[in-house]
Amino acid sequence: MTVTGPASITPAEGKLGVLCVGLGAVTSTLIAGVELARRGMGEPIGSLTQLGTIRLGTRTENRVPLIRDFVSLAQLDDLVFGAWDVFPDDAYVSASRAGVLDAGRHLEAIGAELRAVRPMAAAFDPAYVKRLNGPNVKDGTHKRAMLEGIRADIESFRSEHLVDRLVMIWCASTEIYIEHGPAHADLESFEKAIDADDPQIAPSMLYAYAALQEGIPFANGAPNLTVDVPALRDYANDHGVPIAGKDFKTGQTLIKTVIAPMLKARMLGLSGWYSTNILGNRDGEVLDDPESFRTKEESKLGVLEEVLEPDRYPQLYGDVYHKVRINYYPPRGDNKEGWDNVDLFGWLGYPMQLKIDFMCRDSILAAPLALDVCLLLDLARRAGLGGIQEWLSFYFKSPQVAPGLYPEHDLFIQQTKLRNTLRWMMGEEQITHLGMDYYLEE
């Protein structure tokens, strides 16, 4: 049975403005990579929207188009980038200082384009990111003024660059840990808290609210609470604006969302999982602060429990010791290392171990995720899909879901959800991989 998706999807015509909160390693790597890909000087490796295919119909039909040919996505040539940052460095200087991309091989050839991306003054309060401070910030810390300043920046960017649509993505540092509270319960409480300069309203929430007020899809690439509060979830749903998050799934947690489902699929037990990270970029420096680390820790720790379901399998996962550490080590720069020791057990309780050492590049992994999320959120907006886009869980450590639902962390279930949503949008049949029709036909 074919399931019909949205009544219509507006074509991806005209320019798409991509507004990034933060012009550090991730954003500068994203912008540089897109510019290089436009010129045929680099491949967008890691991007599902650019390189991935999608199977349609049965295996014997051999219909496997590229995703970018199957659904209407903004073209890389149509992307226009803008950003906010606490430092005044343009994208070229930022990319050079981040040290992710080789200057001679990549940055010099697109120097003019990168220098054209100059950050707007950030809505910033050092109380929320204590290891970071810079001069390129908006005057004062009154939250209402910050909110209106962000909205004014959006309008200026829209007018200056003549973009037809916009998306916004948080690629900035991790804020201190904030729990849900009365200020987040509903829009009236949220508005009052803004006017009262309530500390429960973090700058990231102001960016998210400004985007939603302007009808702009918003994604959260960090573990901050940000848009994952009732007031903003309800606003996004009521006004038909897509939201997604939170915390890009890049290194160590990506591995966990592959290995942990394997353990559960084979009914292998787990005694303990020790994870440590070595990271030397700005993100590592910020996470060296215990309050910011707690925000990240909550995002990382939730994965195992939600995948393994210890209440359902107490004999296998009821007494797991899970430890996560992040160590700031400046010499490593953006080249982080995620090291895991996994103590598991099998038949008759006999112990085994698994060691994983993922020597990865943080921004090289994050940039294609940011690109995909922006393009797919724009697609969701044009398809009339508002509120939480759970089908984008594939990209996040701590996926947003509707109240009362548990998040799905298994990477391959997430991938199936994403692909089936695209099929649903285009009126194609869902693929269950049952496959019995190949064997039961006469």
Side-chain angles (χ1 to χ4, degrees):
M1 180 180 69
T2 300
V3 180
T4 303
S8 64
I9 300 176
T10 304
E13 297 174 348
K15 294 181 180 180
L16 174 64
V18 179
L19 290 171
C20 303
V21 188
L23 187 54
V26 172
T27 300
S28 62
T29 304
L30 165 65
I31 297 171
V34 168
E35 190 59 45
L36 290 163
R38 284 169 172 164
R39 298 178 176 213
M41 298 173 64
E43 288 288 333
I45 296 170
S47 168
L48 188 65
T49 64
Q50 301 307 299
L51 301 181
T53 60
I54 184 166
R55 192 191 109 197
L56 307 176
T58 64
R59 281 180 275 172
T60 54
E61 291 180 55
N62 198 30
R63 289 195 295 146
V64 192
L66 287 166
I67 288 174
R68 69 172 188 255
D69 295 332
F70 176 59
V71 293
S72 177
L73 296 177
Q75 302 296 306
L76 297 188
D77 287 340
D78 294 329
L79 302 186
V80 181
F81 290 96
W84 291 270
D85 201 276
V86 300
F87 297 104
D89 302 335
D90 60 43
Y92 178 84
V93 175
S94 178
S96 300
R97 290 184 171 173
V100 178
L101 302 177
D102 182 81
R105 188 158 60 111
H106 288 131
L107 299 184
E108 292 300 331
I110 54 172
E113 289 75 14
L114 293 178
R115 288 187 179 94
V117 182
R118 297 181 174 276
M120 297 173 279
F124 179 74
D125 184 340
Y128 295 89
V129 185
K130 297 182 179 179
R131 296 292 173 91
L132 187 65
N133 216 335
N136 193 41
V137 298
K138 298 187 185 303
D139 294 335
T141 56
H142 292 298
K143 299 182 190 296
R144 179 63 64 182
M146 284 187 182
L147 175 65
E148 295 307 321
I150 297 167
R151 295 188 68 181
D153 290 341
I154 293 170
E155 186 52 42
S156 294
F157 181 87
R158 195 195 311 262
S159 300
E160 178 183 351
H161 296 280
L162 301 176
V163 295
D164 298 273
R165 307 177 312 284
L166 286 163
V167 293
M168 188 186 298
I169 187 164
W170 179 277
C171 296
S173 298
T174 300
E175 295 175 326
I176 63 172
Y177 183 74
I178 296 176
E179 293 184 338
H180 289 90
H184 311 132
D186 52 52
L187 192 62
E188 181 181 1
S189 300
F190 193 80
E191 282 276 355
K192 288 180 179 178
I194 291 174
D195 288 327
D197 288 326
D198 191 319
Q200 292 296 297
I201 306 297
S204 65
M205 296 177 187
L206 299 176
Y207 279 101
Y209 189 30
L212 298 182
Q213 287 179 308
E214 297 294 329
I216 298 170
F218 181 88
N220 181 18
N224 319 320
L225 200 54
T226 311
V227 76
D228 196 13
V229 296
L232 298 186
R233 288 198 306 259
D234 293 345
Y235 188 98
N237 191 62
D238 294 343
H239 292 80
V241 186
I243 57 174
K246 55 198 178 188
D247 204 6
F248 291 137
K249 181 158 61 178
T250 52
Q252 193 169 66
T253 307
L254 173 65
I255 298 296
K256 283 184 178 176
T257 60
V258 174
I259 299 298
M262 178 271 288
L263 296 177
K264 188 171 77 168
R266 294 294 297 267
M267 288 288 102
L268 295 171
L270 182 66
S271 300
W273 195 312
Y274 178 82
S275 301
T276 189
N277 296 262
I278 299 171
L279 181 60
N281 61 11
R282 188 187 298 175
D283 193 33
E285 182 178 9
V286 168
L287 292 173
D288 208 31
D289 170 56
E291 291 187 78
S292 289
F293 171 70
R294 186 182 175 192
T295 307
K296 176 69 76 170
E297 185 180 35
E298 291 288 326
S299 174
K300 283 176 166 285
L301 284 175
V303 171
L304 287 187
E305 184 167 352
E306 287 162 347
V307 168
L308 297 176
E309 300 178 288
D311 291 341
R312 186 167 294 179
Y313 305 104
Q315 71 274 40
L316 299 178
Y317 313 117
D319 190 26
V320 174
Y321 185 84
H322 187 197
K323 177 71 73 175
V324 173
R325 287 285 182 264
I326 297 178
N327 301 286
Y328 177 49
Y329 182 58
R332 190 58 63 90
D334 201 71
N335 298 331
K336 72 177 181 181
E337 182 172 359
W339 186 85
D340 291 85
N341 174 78
V342 185
D343 286 288
L344 60 148
F345 56 90
W347 187 250
L348 303 179
Y350 279 84
M352 296 174 277
Q353 284 191 341
L354 178 64
K355 311 284 190 182
I356 305 167
D357 190 6
F358 190 13
M359 301 181 73
C360 54
R361 295 173 180 261
D362 200 32
S363 299
I364 293 297
L365 290 169
L369 303 191
L371 173 63
D372 283 0
V373 168
C374 288
L375 296 182
L376 294 172
L377 278 181
D378 175 57
L379 171 65
R381 179 66 160 153
R382 290 182 285 106
L385 304 179
I388 296 169
Q389 304 300 302
E390 190 188 340
W391 60 287
L392 299 181
S393 296
F394 179 74
Y395 296 103
F396 298 102
K397 286 187 184 76
S398 184
Q400 277 192 268
V401 295
L405 296 180
Y406 65 85
E408 182 56 71
H409 285 282
D410 184 318
L411 184 72
F412 300 104
I413 293 177
Q414 291 175 335
Q415 182 189 48
T416 299
K417 186 188 295 286
L418 189 155
R419 292 178 183 277
N420 271 338
T421 301
L422 295 177
R423 295 182 182 107
W424 168 80
M425 282 187 183
M426 302 303 294
E428 290 280 347
E429 291 186 14
Q430 307 297 289
I431 292 182
T432 65
H433 302 285
L434 175 65
M436 292 302 295
D437 50 327
Y438 300 113
Y439 300 95
L440 297 179
E441 292 178 354
E442 295 182 3

